[in-house]
Amino acid sequence: MVALSLKICVRQCNVVKTMQFEPCTPVYDACRIIRERVPEAQTGQASDYGLFLSDDDPRKGIWLESGRTLDYYMLRNGDVLEYKKKQRPQKIKMLDGAVKTIMVDDSKTVGELLVTICSRIGITNYEEYSLIQEAVEEKKEDGHGTGTLKKDRTLLRDERKMERLKAKLHTDDDLNWLDHSRTFREQGVEESEMLLLRRKFFYSDQNVDSRDPVQLNLLYVQARDDILNGSHPVSFDKACEFAGIQAQIQFGLHVEHKHKTGFLDLKEFLPKEYIKQRGSEKKIFVDHKTCGEMTEIESKVNYVKLARSLPTYGVSFFLVKEKMKSKNKLVPRLLGITKESVMRVEEKTKDVVQEWPLTTVKRWAASPKSFTLDFGEYQESYYSVQTTEGEQISQLIAGYIDIILKKASQVKPETLPTSIFF
C-alpha cells in the first residue's frame, strides 16, 4: 500500500513536519506516532490532543475521530493536519448573572458538552438544559429597489407587524438555542463569546426543591424574569403576591419602618403594565409581610410553586400563522409546546384554544417556512402553520420525547411519535 505523505503542524509551537503514514492507520495511532517522533508534540496529556483538518471556513473544519482510519477522510498527499489541544475555554452565564469559564472539548457536540457544563455547575438533569447564543442581527434589505410591487410592500408590513408582536409576547422564536447535535465550532461559537445556560425543557422541574439550591435558584430567576417581562401574564393581585415573595427573598423579613412606599424600584418587581398603578408598592409590602419568617430558600420554593400554578408555566411559545377556516387568509396564532401537549393559543390573552396530547402526535415535518403536525387517527387532517422556526419547534418536540424515553422506562417506544420529514 502506498504511504500517505502529510504535513503535520504542531499548533502550539507552529512546527511543521512532513510525515509518512499508512492510509489504514487509525487516527489514535497516528497521534501516538506524532508524539513519538516530534519532540514538540510531547507536552501535556496525550488524551487532550487530536488531529484537526482545517478549512477556509472555520465552521467546516473537522476533528478526526480517534477510531477512524486516515483513509476514511479521503486525505491526499501534501494535506495539512493540525496536531493540537482539543480543550478550549468557554464562558457560561447563568440567569442569575453568575459567569463560569469552563474548559470544554472542541470536538464534542453541544449535547455531550452539556453533561460536563452542568456537572461543573451542580446540575444533574443536564438533558433539560440548553445554551443560547446571542443573536446576531443580519443587515436587512431596505426594499428600495426599482419596480417594487405593492404586494411586496404589503408582505414587508406584515413581517414587521409579526416581529413587533413577537417582541411584545416574548416568544421563544428569537431565542437562538444551539443545536445539540453539532459542535460549538460548527455553529460559529467563538471562545470569546458568552453563552447563556437556561432551562429549555420543563419535565422534572417539579422535583426541584430546597434540597437542590442551585437548580432552585436558576428556576426562581427564570420564573421571575418571565413574569416581569410578560411571558407569563398575571393579574395585578397575583403580580403583587409574586413581588411580595421576591421582596422576602431579596431583603429578608419585613421591617415596618424600612419597607414602605418609595423603597422599591418597581421596574424590578412588577410587569410594566402595573408599575404606575396606584397603591402597588403598599400592596407588595402587605404581601411581603405575610411571608413572615420564611428563609430565602423557603421563599424561593414558595415563589416557584406559585409560578407553576400559572397556565403558561412550562410552555414554549412560537408565534406562527394559521389559515382561517373557510377563508384564504392567514392569521397570527401562538403554538405552545409542553412536556404533555401541543397547544393552539390565543395570541392576545394566551388562552388555550385547542390542545393535543403529545402522545397523539404521530409525525411532524419542518421546512424553512412551515411546520406540519400529523395526529393520525386523533384528527382527520394535518395541522400546518407558517413559520420560519420549524426546526426549533421540531427540536423541542424531539427533545421532550427523548427525555420521556430516558426517564419513563414504562413507556413503550412504539406509542410515542417519531419525526419524519416529508
Side-chain angles (χ1 to χ4, degrees):
M1 186 177 289
V2 180
L4 183 63
S5 179
L6 299 172
K7 291 180 180 179
I8 305 299
C9 175
V10 181
R11 178 49 65 199
Q12 62 190 35
C13 55
N14 284 328
V15 170
V16 180
K17 301 280 187 181
T18 299
M19 299 182 66
Q20 307 281 328
F21 299 93
E22 293 294 329
C24 60
T25 303
V27 172
Y28 177 84
D29 287 339
C31 289
R32 178 181 53 79
I33 293 167
I34 292 167
R35 286 183 73 86
E36 289 173 356
R37 297 183 185 176
V38 183
E40 293 85 355
Q42 293 170 7
T43 57
Q45 295 291 323
S47 58
D48 290 340
Y49 288 79
L51 287 172
F52 185 75
L53 181 60
S54 62
D55 189 272
D56 292 337
D57 181 351
R59 296 183 183 216
K60 294 181 180 178
I62 57 170
W63 285 97
L64 276 56
E65 295 179 36
S66 59
R68 301 280 190 186
T69 58
L70 294 175
D71 57 1
Y72 173 82
Y73 295 97
M74 295 183 285
L75 298 169
R76 295 173 295 182
N77 285 326
D79 279 352
V80 178
L81 289 179
E82 296 180 23
Y83 179 80
K84 64 179 185 177
K85 213 169 187 178
K86 292 186 287 185
Q87 300 289 319
R88 60 177 265 189
Q90 194 66 55
K91 289 182 179 178
I92 307 296
K93 182 180 180 181
M94 270 69 75
L95 287 172
D96 61 3
V99 177
K100 290 185 180 291
T101 299
I102 297 174
M103 295 301 292
V104 297
D105 188 332
D106 188 55
S107 67
K108 293 187 180 297
T109 64
V110 171
E112 292 170 319
L113 291 179
L114 277 167
V115 181
T116 302
I117 292 168
C118 289
S119 66
R120 297 281 173 85
I121 293 169
I123 296 171
T124 52
N125 54 325
Y126 61 87
E127 66 274 8
E128 295 184 41
Y129 285 80
S130 191
L131 294 164
I132 295 174
Q133 184 181 24
E134 188 177 356
V136 179
E137 295 237 352
E138 294 181 7
K139 192 175 180 181
K140 295 180 181 179
E141 297 293 328
D142 58 10
H144 290 311
T146 57
T148 304
L149 298 175
K150 184 179 179 181
K151 183 179 178 183
D152 293 335
R153 291 198 296 269
T154 303
L155 287 172
L156 191 60
R157 280 200 306 270
D158 193 42
E159 287 174 7
R160 287 173 179 165
K161 183 180 176 182
M162 288 290 282
E163 288 303 318
R164 287 196 297 269
L165 195 52
K166 280 180 188 177
K168 182 180 178 182
L169 294 170
H170 294 278
T171 63
D172 284 42
D173 299 72
D174 294 326
L175 294 179
N176 192 19
W177 294 105
L178 291 180
D179 185 343
H180 286 204
S181 66
R182 297 194 292 156
T183 65
F184 281 160
R185 182 183 32 75
E186 287 172 331
Q187 299 179 72
V189 178
E190 298 179 2
E191 290 183 21
S192 58
E193 280 189 64
M194 185 107 61
L195 298 175
L196 179 65
L197 181 71
R198 181 182 170 100
R199 181 182 284 272
K200 183 177 183 180
F201 302 98
F202 290 79
Y203 186 81
S204 62
D205 60 284
Q206 70 274 10
N207 299 325
V208 176
D209 55 24
S210 57
R211 294 169 296 180
D212 190 348
V214 174
Q215 281 206 79
L216 175 62
N217 183 57
L218 293 176
L219 205 55
Y220 157 68
V221 173
Q222 189 164 339
R224 181 199 67 195
D225 290 352
D226 285 345
I227 287 165
L228 294 179
N229 68 27
S231 295
H232 298 319
V234 292
S235 66
F236 174 68
D237 287 346
K238 189 66 73 175
C240 289
E241 186 178 355
F242 277 114
I245 302 172
Q246 184 183 337
Q248 181 82 359
I249 292 167
Q250 292 183 210
F251 308 123
L253 302 183
H254 179 266
V255 180
E256 201 72 45
H257 70 273
K258 181 181 179 182
H259 299 139
K260 53 187 179 182
T261 303
F263 180 81
L264 297 176
D265 180 355
L266 292 177
K267 293 194 297 293
E268 295 180 3
F269 286 82
L270 289 173
K272 62 181 181 181
E273 63 266 29
Y274 300 134
I275 290 172
K276 294 182 179 180
Q277 190 149 331
R278 190 174 178 181
S280 57
E281 190 169 3
K282 186 177 180 181
K283 182 164 175 51
I284 290 171
F285 283 129
V286 169
D287 287 308
H288 179 196
K289 193 173 183 178
T290 62
C291 291
E293 297 185 359
M294 276 197 294
T295 64
E296 180 183 340
I297 293 289
E298 289 170 341
S299 300
K300 286 178 179 178
V301 169
N302 204 22
Y303 191 103
V304 171
K305 183 179 179 182
L306 189 61
R308 287 195 188 106
S309 68
L310 299 174
T312 51
Y313 179 83
V315 185
S316 296
F317 290 108
F318 297 88
L319 186 62
V320 301
K321 284 184 176 181
E322 64 176 21
K323 189 178 178 182
M324 289 181 69
K325 284 187 177 180
S326 68
K327 287 187 180 181
N328 191 25
K329 183 181 179 182
L330 293 170
V331 294
R333 183 71 68 206
L334 284 175
L335 181 67
I337 311 292
T338 75
K339 65 178 180 180
E340 296 173 340
S341 62
V342 177
M343 301 180 291
R344 290 174 61 228
V345 180
E346 213 286 321
E347 74 281 1
K348 292 178 181 177
T349 62
K350 289 194 174 178
D351 291 335
V352 178
V353 177
Q354 190 174 8
E355 189 170 4
W356 299 277
L358 197 60
T359 50
T360 64
V361 180
K362 302 305 176 187
R363 304 181 296 175
W364 65 90
S367 77
K369 292 187 177 181
S370 68
F371 184 75
T372 303
L373 287 160
D374 176 11
F375 298 99
E377 297 176 359
Y378 196 78
Q379 183 169 302
E380 290 183 6
S381 59
Y382 295 149
Y383 176 62
S384 188
V385 295
Q386 188 181 97
T387 176
T388 56
E389 301 299 326
E391 190 55 42
Q392 287 276 33
I393 300 170
S394 178
Q395 288 178 16
L396 193 65
I397 293 174
Y400 270 121
I401 290 168
D402 285 344
I403 293 170
I404 291 169
L405 287 172
K406 286 177 184 176
K407 297 200 172 188
S409 57
Q410 70 274 20
V411 177
K412 296 180 180 178
E414 60 267 22
T415 66
L416 294 166
T418 55
S419 171
I420 68 163
F421 297 85
F422 53 87

